């Protein structure tokens, strides 16, 4: 019986296992040891956290981004008698993502840094749980072609896109004929009611204090600017094959309804749940069935009112100017979405390191978009080259603003 259970286990590689998504994925997997085996884990710099994960889950491989971090982790694993093989470098991430023994890849590396490993998983036909929205924002149709050619199964892990996926018909071929629009919900972040005139005074600590979700610093800042929602609009356009005008954003402060689909007959199907990423993670791991996630259940007897606000009301257009860039870049030259993503990563990092103000993040994004007219990317090299060029332009903009 034990041997049979092992044969039925899915081998999982978690790319970005020390981040919030990676930690939640391991928590879900720990509830179902008979169904999943942790085959590989990766981290950027958090050696001790990855070591603790190796001690608990005994993966075959562990990957660090840099050689010094990799050598330090390998020494610590050896001192503890762990059999985990430690690798390092971008090529090692790609190797793990396409490893023949891996069934499921959780892509949770933040930013464009996760693009190459996502492409490797797609081309190898894995079940790809996409928590890295940048793979689609940067890769666009090029990434989708890799998914189709490799025969991969792409499942969104962002709570909004998972909600949309759960609200759609099973047959993807019928989506375009039935959907009127997709409605992505947004909490509004920590500054939903803050006077935009005070945005220059916002500190990184304030921007990272999200009222509902526990997230990494970069994603928390994106939520505070609502750039995360702009990126999600772009992701939804590619994931679900709808036109940009068929995607709407509505502010829902309680974060209970995670997104909705409005059909041609004007009926609306929504997915509800507690604001806990273990819910979409468990769904992605177990699809098309469902399993326990470890998240708390909604209690409708004690739940307060659910409210909604237009992104055009209450001064939100002034408060969140970056949101409208999503539709602008989707209508612009192919590659413009990659430019926006790169610029925003540089701008957010500059804000977190106190080189620019919170209200200057949007200015960096605008200046970078205005400076570049990208050609349609035809390869991973084209995407990476465009990403680097965009980062340089954004860095130049940061330098001018920080003088």
């Amino acid at each position: 019986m034990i041997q049979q259970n092992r044969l039925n286990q899915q081998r999982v590689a978690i790319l970005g296992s020390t981040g919030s998504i990676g930690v939640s994925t391991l928590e879900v997997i720990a509830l179902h040891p008979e169904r999943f085996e942790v085959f590989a884990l990766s981290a950027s710099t958090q050696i001790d956290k990855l070591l603790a994960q190796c001690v608990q889950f005994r993966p075959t491989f562990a990957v660090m981004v840099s050689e010094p971090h990799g050598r330090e982790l390998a020494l610590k694993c050896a001192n503890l008698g762990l059999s985990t093989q430690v690798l390092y470098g971008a090529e090692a991430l790609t190797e793990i993502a396409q490893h023949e023994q891996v069934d499921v890849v959780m892509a949770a590396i933040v930013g464009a840094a996760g693009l190459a490993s996502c492409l490797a998983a797609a081309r190898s036909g894995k079940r790809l749980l996409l928590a890295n929205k940048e793979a689609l924002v940067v890769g666009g149709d090029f990434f989708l072609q890799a998914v189709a050619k490799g025969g991969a199964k792409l499942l969104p892990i962002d709570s909004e896109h998972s909600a949309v996926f759960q609200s759609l018909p099973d047959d993807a071929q019928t989506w375009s004929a039935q959907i009127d629009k997709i409605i992505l919900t947004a909490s509004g972040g920590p500054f939903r009611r803050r006077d935009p005139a005070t945005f220059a005074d916002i500190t990184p600590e304030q921007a990272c204090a999200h009222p509902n979700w526990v997230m990494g610093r970069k994603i928390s800042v994106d939520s505070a600017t609502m750039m995360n929602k702009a990126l999600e609009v772009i992701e939804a356009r590619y994931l679900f094959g709808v036109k940009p005008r068929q995607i709407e954003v509505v502010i829902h402060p309680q974060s209970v309804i995670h997104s909705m689909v409005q059909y041609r007959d004007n009926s609306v199907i929504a997915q509800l749940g507690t604001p806990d990423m273990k819910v979409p993670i468990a769904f992605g791991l177990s699809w098309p069935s469902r399993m326990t996630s470890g998240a708390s259940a909604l209690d409708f007897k004690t739940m307060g009112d659910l409210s909604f606000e237009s992104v055009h009301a209450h001064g939100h257009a002034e408060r969140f100017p970056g949101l409208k860039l999503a539709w602008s870049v989707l209508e612009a030259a192919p590659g413009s979405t990659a430019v926006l993503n790169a610029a925003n990563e540089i701008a957010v990092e500059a804000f977190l390191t106190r080189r620019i103000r919170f209200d200057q993040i949007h200015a960096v994004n605008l200046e970078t978009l205005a400076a570049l007219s990208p050609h349609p990317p035809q390869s991973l090299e084209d995407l990476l080259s465009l990403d680097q060029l965009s980062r340089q332009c954004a860095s130049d903009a940061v330098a001018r603003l920080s003088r």
Side-chain angles (χ1 to χ4, degrees), residues 33-242:
E34 75 289 351
R35 296 187 61 166
F36 302 103
E37 173 191 341
V38 177
F39 184 79
L41 300 172
S42 87
S44 177
T45 60
Q46 297 191 68
I47 297 172
D48 290 338
K49 193 169 184 178
L50 182 56
L51 178 65
Q53 292 175 343
C54 290
V55 169
Q56 181 177 358
F57 293 96
R58 305 298 172 109
T60 302
F61 294 101
V63 180
M64 297 296 302
V65 171
S66 74
E67 180 177 351
H69 286 107
R71 292 191 181 280
E72 183 176 347
L73 178 64
L75 179 61
K76 291 187 174 185
C77 285
N79 289 340
L80 292 175
L82 299 178
S83 61
T84 298
Q85 181 179 348
V86 179
L87 309 174
Y88 55 83
E91 291 185 0
L93 282 175
T94 299
E95 179 183 338
I96 292 303
Q98 63 190 14
H99 198 287
E100 62 180 7
Q101 293 187 51
V102 169
D103 303 299
V104 182
V105 173
M106 168 59 77
I109 297 174
V110 176
L115 178 59
S117 53
C118 281
L119 278 168
R123 289 167 173 161
S124 302
K126 308 301 184 187
R127 174 181 287 217
L128 179 53
L129 309 185
L130 193 64
N132 174 348
K133 63 173 63 68
E134 289 82 4
L136 277 167
V137 173
V138 176
D141 287 325
F142 177 75
F143 178 71
L144 289 179
Q145 290 166 8
V147 171
K149 187 174 181 179
K153 181 59 186 178
L154 184 63
L155 293 168
I157 298 302
D158 270 353
S159 60
E160 295 83 0
H161 300 96
S162 177
V164 171
F165 184 77
Q166 294 179 59
S167 301
L168 287 168
D170 292 336
D171 183 5
Q173 301 300 319
T174 69
W175 288 355
S176 61
Q178 298 191 54
I179 296 174
D180 180 47
K181 63 182 175 181
I182 287 170
I183 305 169
L184 301 177
T185 58
S187 69
F191 308 131
R192 182 173 62 90
R193 284 289 184 259
R194 181 158 175 158
D195 183 354
T198 69
F199 273 26
D201 302 324
I202 290 172
T203 67
E205 292 74 21
Q206 291 170 331
C208 291
H210 196 281
N212 298 337
W213 296 93
V214 177
M215 305 179 291
R217 283 165 61 81
K218 193 271 181 182
I219 299 174
S220 295
V221 174
D222 281 347
S223 180
T225 62
M226 275 188 66
M227 181 53 66
N228 72 321
K229 209 55 51 178
L231 298 177
E232 287 169 13
V233 168
I234 297 168
E235 186 181 6
R237 178 259 177 270
Y238 288 111
L239 273 173
F240 306 116
V242 295

Side-chain angles (χ1 to χ4, degrees), residues 304-370:
D305 293 338
L306 302 182
S307 60
F308 304 90
E309 301 170 9
S310 168
V311 294
H312 306 293
H314 308 295
H316 292 325
E318 182 181 2
R319 203 171 276 115
F320 307 117
L323 178 60
K324 63 183 179 183
L325 292 179
W327 291 271
S328 298
V329 294
L330 283 172
E331 298 293 350
S336 297
T337 56
V339 174
L340 175 60
N341 179 76
N344 186 63
E345 287 191 21
I346 294 296
V348 170
E349 178 60 25
F351 165 68
L352 287 172
T353 52
R354 304 179 194 275
R355 288 177 291 147
I356 64 172
R357 302 191 310 264
F358 181 84
D359 62 326
Q360 292 176 320
I361 293 174
H362 182 57
V364 172
N365 292 338
L366 283 179
E367 187 170 331
T368 307
L369 286 169

